[in-house]
Amino acid sequence: MILHTVNRSPFDTNCLNDCLEMAAAGSSIILIEDGVYAALSKTQFTDQMLAALPKHNFYVLRPDLQARGIQDCIIDEIEAVDYSGFVTLCTELDKVVSWY
Amino acid sequence: MIFSLAVYGAPFSCQASDSAYQFACALLEQGHRLHRVFFYHDGVYNGSTLATPPQDERNIPTSWSQLAEEHELDLVICVAAGLRRGMLDATEADRYEKPAHNLEQGFTLSGLGQLVEAAMISDRMITFGN
Amino acid sequence: MTETTEQPAVNPKKLLFLNRKAPYGSSLPREALDAVLMASAFGQQVTLVFLGDGVFQLKTQQDPSEIEMKNFSKTFAALELYGVSSIFVEQSSLQKRGLTLDQLLIPAKLIQSHELTELLEEQDQVMSF
């Protein structure tokens, strides 16, 4: 399976949409950089994320959340990982596809 | 596991270089091998030794250079993308009769084949774009 | 220039190049195409996919002469010379942008999003541009 990375805000670009459309059921998605805004729990994209949660394994990069001050505002079911966790995910999955 | 990274974002302009650098540190810490970091598109600016951020800010080219020295990394800047954007080593400066060169220690200019080769021999290729 | 043409002694890999940016506004599409040609010269199994704004790269009638840029679309003709024939355009991307296959400058195959999902899974590496 694939690990997808998304690094742009869903409010700004179509990256998240494209990724969600192409990601296979059961694949993993990590939100990094401005992609972390997709993990917010009270936005116009929250419903879309909640609907996608059963289909994919979602992760969000904790240092990028913290940098932006939104570590307490994200959807509970999305697991926050550090860079070490990001690397481990890359090793556990077959390949990485970047959406930017 | 063998990793290679492709960096397409300019340092100090977007987060791609910082993300790639943090990722590189984390994978080396875990004992994985970093076969190559290939800098392409605006990522070529990562190799500018003339980058002069204020002293209390991270210096991305210097950070790469130090990491490369510690772990004997292959930091490759695409020569075509680099020349276009004014990234020259002494040889290229001489060849094109330019008054200066600006490649940070630890970086080399080489062809796009190095990106393809990295994709061929690495277990994981991770792109950091913008 | 220290261009390497020496090929490493490993089996060909399935490399998919995923193109999502429009031409001219960014130089990434042109640089992606150079990488595609290089991968093919290295004997790899290259697949080229155009998704989202990437489909605009293939529009016929490109003429950047007035903005003094090189006509990047002409380089696509080299794909055939390099033997790159696995070229796909994602259907809904094309449709959403009001384009049809006959407005594209190279023969590309239409692909549905679920087929692209499978195609991504089959690759050894996916190179995003």
Side-chain angles (χ1 to χ4, degrees), chain B residues 19-66:
Chain B
S19 298
Y21 176 75
Q22 297 295 337
F23 187 89
C25 293
L27 80 87
L28 291 166
E29 188 134 315
Q30 285 191 24
H32 297 295
R33 195 176 133 212
L34 182 51
H35 172 64
R36 180 170 300 132
V37 186
F38 190 85
F39 300 91
Y40 195 36
H41 190 57
D42 286 350
V44 300
Y45 295 118
N46 275 270
S48 174
T49 194
L50 296 176
T52 314
Q55 287 196 345
D56 60 345
E57 277 182 33
R58 83 243 182 272
N59 186 320
I60 299 175
T62 308
S63 300
W64 281 121
S65 176
Q66 286 167 354

Side-chain angles (χ1 to χ4, degrees), chain A residues 8-54:
Chain A
R8 303 297 297 272
S9 164
F11 300 93
D12 187 36
T13 76
N14 221 26
C15 277
L16 178 71
N17 258 328
D18 284 353
C19 171
L20 289 177
E21 204 164 317
M22 300 306 153
S27 59
S28 298
I29 299 172
I30 183 166
L31 307 168
I32 67 169
E33 302 177 9
D34 286 348
V36 301
Y37 290 117
L40 285 169
S41 63
K42 290 174 186 171
T43 75
Q44 64 180 102
F45 295 103
T46 305
D47 284 346
Q48 188 187 0
M49 289 295 287
L50 290 173
L53 273 172

Side-chain angles (χ1 to χ4, degrees), chain B residues 6 8 40-42 79-81 83-85 91-92 95-96 109-127 130, chain C residues 1-4 6-8 10-13 15 17 21 26-28 30-36 38-40 42 44 124-129:
Chain B
Y8 301 156
Y40 195 36
H41 190 57
D42 286 350
V79 64
L83 287 178
R84 249 189 211 112
R85 292 170 174 83
T91 312
E92 298 300 329
R95 185 199 314 272
Y96 292 99
L109 292 176
S110 190
L112 204 41
Q114 299 294 314
L115 174 65
V116 177
E117 193 264 0
M120 287 166 69
I121 79 135
S122 303
D123 299 308
R124 298 290 182 275
M125 180 91 208
I126 326 276
T127 303
N130 178 47
Chain C
M1 210 181 284
T2 51
E3 180 66 66
T4 297
E6 204 176 302
Q7 295 176 18
V10 291
N11 292 329
K13 290 285 162 69
L15 304 182
F17 291 79
K21 309 281 186 206
S26 167
S27 61
L28 206 56
R30 194 199 57 222
E31 292 178 317
L33 189 52
D34 289 342
V36 167
M38 183 60 76
S40 185
F42 268 52
Q44 304 304 292
D124 288 311
Q125 309 278 11
V126 176
M127 316 288 278
S128 301
F129 285 95

Side-chain angles (χ1 to χ4, degrees), chain B residues 66-129:
Chain B
Q66 286 167 354
L67 196 69
E69 197 182 348
E70 243 172 84
H71 298 274
E72 295 179 15
L73 301 182
D74 191 21
L75 306 179
V76 176
I77 291 178
C78 171
V79 64
L83 287 178
R84 249 189 211 112
R85 292 170 174 83
M87 293 300 308
L88 282 78
D89 61 10
T91 312
E92 298 300 329
D94 194 45
R95 185 199 314 272
Y96 292 99
E97 296 176 0
K98 297 289 180 180
H101 52 88
N102 58 343
L103 208 63
E104 175 75 30
Q105 203 170 3
F107 288 82
T108 50
L109 292 176
S110 190
L112 204 41
Q114 299 294 314
L115 174 65
V116 177
E117 193 264 0
M120 287 166 69
I121 79 135
S122 303
D123 299 308
R124 298 290 182 275
M125 180 91 208
I126 326 276
T127 303
F128 291 90

